[in-house]
Amino acid sequence: MAAQFGRRVVKGAATTAVAAVAVAALSASQAPGVTDTAQGRQSTGSQPSSDPDADNSATGNSPYYTDLPPLNSPTPTPTTGTGTPTGTGEAEAGIPATVLDAYKKAEAALGESKPGCNLPWQLLAAIGKVESGQARGGRVDANGTTITPILGPVLNGNGFARITDTDGGAYDGDTTHDRAVGPMQFIPSTWEWSGRDGNGDGKKDPNNIYDAALAAGGYLCRFGWDLSDKADLRRAILSYNNSTHYLNTVLSWLEYYRKGTHEVPDGTGTLPSGRSDDNNGSSSSPTPTPTSPGTTPPSSQTPGGGGSTSPSPKPPTTTPPPSTPPTTPATPTDTVDHLEDAGTANLTATAGDAFAEKIATRTETEAGKAVAKVRVRFTIVGDTDSVFTGGESVATVVTNSSGVATAPALKAGEKTGDFTVRATVVGRAVSGLDYKATVTARQADALARTGDTALTCVAGGEFADQVELKATYKGAAADGVEATATLIKAADDATANDKGPYFKDADGKTVRTLAGLKTDANGLLKLPKLYADDTAGTFLLRVNTTGGATLTVELKVTAAPSSSPSPSAS
């Protein structure tokens, strides 16, 4: 039986005071400004509103379902009108098999890649419930792809945020405006960088529950958030959809699912039956509402009307409709003509370190006037493993009152060389602005032995002590610094010697040059065991590191004792 869903709202709408810890008390009290529907659910009477900061969320702050969990009632509670009973606790706790599997696999994957995030699969289930009713009750195929695409309303500014097309309709089929897509309701511009391949088919499909669940988990785990911490959990949920009411609704479902869930067959999960845009004139919603004979759509019920199923009378029209459709006012993005650098300094960092400087870009009109509240996307381009803080290669930032968008800090990877960070305006076809960034190799400016024991060996034997060195840079331990060790001919001849001490390779063959060595986290480098051939004398081992540090170590090989002659016979 379909559960009653209340209205769905966006940022700016009035919010209820429902918190996850109060799920068990929902029937006993109501927050100010909240009415009680016939089924005992809470809903708001506010309408969706436009949101200029929608890109600060995964969904563009699109509408969402606000149905609250039942009070774990073991039996159906009949309505007081002629409609159907509400979903029971047992029914609402059921999650379609494939959808549930996707949530649990995403939890496992994030547990390995970002263990500090502590992502619970129940959080993905709570968001999936609020965003799409668990992929329309689990209407997915064997690979986890929804039978038909799940699309949110057109984000054209008519009661919702206005986000002009960013994907050429590739994900949402709309080349004019964007729409939230899939069971986790990502807007195309967010999916572009946060999309994941969760089922290993080589594609990143927002309509696939495995891909979408893993992407949602990655989105919630960025910025180093620890979801076992209440404050970080709230931040993560609000970053998904920036509404206090959304936060409270998700927390309610999170608490509910933590108390216990069970698997139900795909396609049999409870379906939402109400939309926030019923009074908004929109013809699309993230989850179509199926109806069955003998049931009355919830949109015909009077909020707080004690279960009456009679439609509310429409007020008489007092003014004729306009002869021409209203024009949509230009957004700040529409006025942007070009991008300018906002004082970004030289972008250079040593491998593994954070870049000291951040990229700053200013959006300007044709006349050179700064434009605020414009979404600027920063994308890392090139063969590099450098990332922004949080581990992502793309970040979207809204310009401030001075028209400046400052990208998150860059962290250098281990790959050295140049790469590019490209700034573009989301929803506006203007030339991008490229920033060159350089990653240099880790360096050491000093190298020293950790011990002072003389390194000696008998010809044909092996050295008792291994050579251990410590590399430093500006007095601090230099970790991850590459080094080369060579047994050289002389102090003024760095050519590899062809006699004297030697190393052995994996096959036991003689080697007198070792390349690709690297210091450990403490700047230490321990060379392999040294052996001596039958040549006695003093030899030199030279170690060079990236950054110019050099150390020459003396090795002494003494002649093997000669055999004593046998005493002559008397």
Side-chain angles (χ1 to χ4, degrees):
M1 196 66 67
Q4 168 67 37
F5 271 60
R7 298 172 184 262
R8 295 161 61 198
V9 295
V10 295
K11 180 181 176 184
T15 63
T16 67
V18 180
V21 295
V23 173
L26 290 177
S27 62
S29 62
Q30 299 291 335
V34 176
T35 59
D36 189 18
T37 66
Q39 281 79 18
R41 302 286 195 275
Q42 291 179 336
S43 64
T44 66
S46 55
Q47 295 299 316
S49 61
S50 181
D51 181 3
D53 300 323
D55 196 64
N56 288 330
S57 70
T59 67
N61 292 341
S62 292
Y64 55 88
Y65 293 108
T66 61
D67 189 36
L68 296 174
L71 300 179
N72 296 316
S73 172
T75 57
T77 302
T79 62
T80 56
T82 59
T84 61
T86 62
T88 67
E90 289 186 0
E92 288 289 3
I95 298 179
T98 299
V99 178
L100 181 59
D101 184 57
Y103 295 150
K104 291 184 175 181
K105 279 185 168 56
E107 178 195 56
L110 269 299
E112 292 183 4
S113 63
K114 295 189 177 182
C117 178
N118 294 304
L119 171 76
W121 66 261
Q122 291 91 341
L123 176 59
L124 297 177
I127 290 176
K129 178 70 172 181
V130 169
E131 293 295 347
S132 68
Q134 310 297 20
R136 295 177 179 160
R139 295 186 65 241
V140 296
D141 63 21
N143 295 318
T145 302
T146 56
I147 302 301
T148 54
I150 301 176
L151 297 175
V154 177
L155 298 176
N156 58 7
N158 182 21
F160 309 114
R162 181 169 185 251
I163 302 179
T164 52
D165 176 61
T166 63
D167 65 330
Y171 296 120
D172 57 12
D174 193 321
T175 57
T176 303
H177 296 94
D178 274 349
R179 303 172 70 174
V181 182
M184 303 304 277
Q185 288 290 279
F186 279 94
I187 53 174
S189 59
T190 303
W191 182 261
E192 187 64 28
W193 63 266
S194 65
R196 299 288 188 273
D197 177 13
N199 61 354
D201 64 355
K203 297 184 294 183
K204 300 176 182 178
D205 183 1
N207 288 299
N208 181 278
I209 186 59
Y210 288 99
D211 295 358
L214 184 58
Y219 187 92
L220 294 166
C221 286
R222 72 201 196 287
F223 300 138
W225 282 328
D226 177 2
L227 302 184
S228 66
D229 178 81
K230 290 183 179 179
D232 278 359
L233 176 63
R234 292 174 63 89
R235 293 186 188 100
I237 296 172
L238 285 171
S239 78
Y240 210 89
N241 193 311
N242 195 8
S243 159
T244 303
H245 186 274
Y246 180 89
L247 168 69
N248 289 335
T249 306
V250 169
L251 287 174
S252 296
W253 281 106
L254 171 60
E255 182 71 10
Y256 181 74
Y257 286 137
R258 276 176 166 164
K259 291 179 180 178
T261 59
H262 60 275
E263 179 183 296
V264 298
D266 289 345
T268 65
T270 56
L271 294 172
S273 56
R275 310 186 318 185
S276 64
D277 53 356
D278 284 341
N279 297 324
N280 208 37
S282 174
S283 60
S284 59
S285 70
T287 309
T289 303
T291 58
S292 57
T295 62
T296 303
S299 60
S300 66
Q301 297 177 349
T302 303
S308 170
T309 57
S310 300
S312 302
K314 294 183 178 181
T317 302
T318 56
T319 57
S323 56
T324 58
T327 58
T328 304
T331 66
T333 301
D334 296 331
T335 67
V336 175
D337 176 75
H338 60 274
L339 295 172
E340 290 286 345
D341 176 43
T344 304
N346 184 39
L347 296 169
T348 303
T350 301
D353 292 345
F355 283 76
E357 298 294 330
K358 293 183 178 180
I359 298 172
T361 302
R362 185 172 54 253
T363 55
E364 295 183 355
T365 64
E366 186 176 3
K369 182 179 179 181
V371 186
K373 294 187 176 181
V374 173
R375 293 170 292 143
V376 175
R377 181 182 297 135
F378 298 94
T379 305
I380 296 175
V381 181
D383 183 18
T384 180
D385 54 352
S386 296
V387 294
F388 290 114
T389 301
E392 306 295 347
S393 61
V394 178
T396 302
V397 181
V398 178
T399 57
N400 60 18
S401 58
S402 300
V404 175
T406 302
L410 281 166
K411 183 176 180 181
E414 294 302 322
K415 290 184 179 180
T416 59
D418 298 334
F419 66 92
T420 299
V421 179
R422 181 165 299 148
T424 55
V425 178
V426 178
R428 181 77 170 162
V430 298
S431 297
L433 189 61
D434 286 352
Y435 295 85
K436 177 184 175 182
T438 303
V439 178
T440 59
R442 297 170 187 256
Q443 300 180 30
D445 55 15
L447 198 59
R449 280 189 65 195
T450 58
D452 55 7
T453 304
L455 298 169
T456 62
C457 178
V458 176
E462 61 183 52
F463 286 80
D465 297 313
Q466 289 178 246
V467 179
E468 185 178 65
L469 311 171
K470 182 167 184 177
T472 56
Y473 182 71
K474 296 182 179 180
D479 65 304
V481 175
E482 292 190 359
T484 300
T486 305
L487 292 151
I488 61 176
K489 289 184 176 180
D492 57 355
D493 185 355
T495 306
N497 210 335
D498 56 0
K499 59 184 177 180
Y502 61 90
F503 300 107
K504 290 182 179 180
D505 63 13
D507 297 324
K509 296 180 180 179
T510 298
V511 176
R512 289 190 168 91
T513 297
L514 296 177
L517 304 173
K518 188 172 291 187
T519 61
D520 66 13
N522 298 312
L524 298 175
L525 174 62
K526 193 169 188 176
L527 299 182
K529 184 180 287 292
L530 278 162
Y531 302 86
D533 61 14
D534 57 2
T535 308
T538 299
F539 301 89
L540 299 178
L541 167 67
R542 181 164 292 170
V543 181
N544 300 300
T545 69
T546 305
T550 300
L551 180 67
T552 302
V553 180
E554 189 175 87
L555 306 172
K556 291 186 177 180
V557 179
T558 59
S562 59
S563 300
S564 300
S566 301
S568 58
S570 57

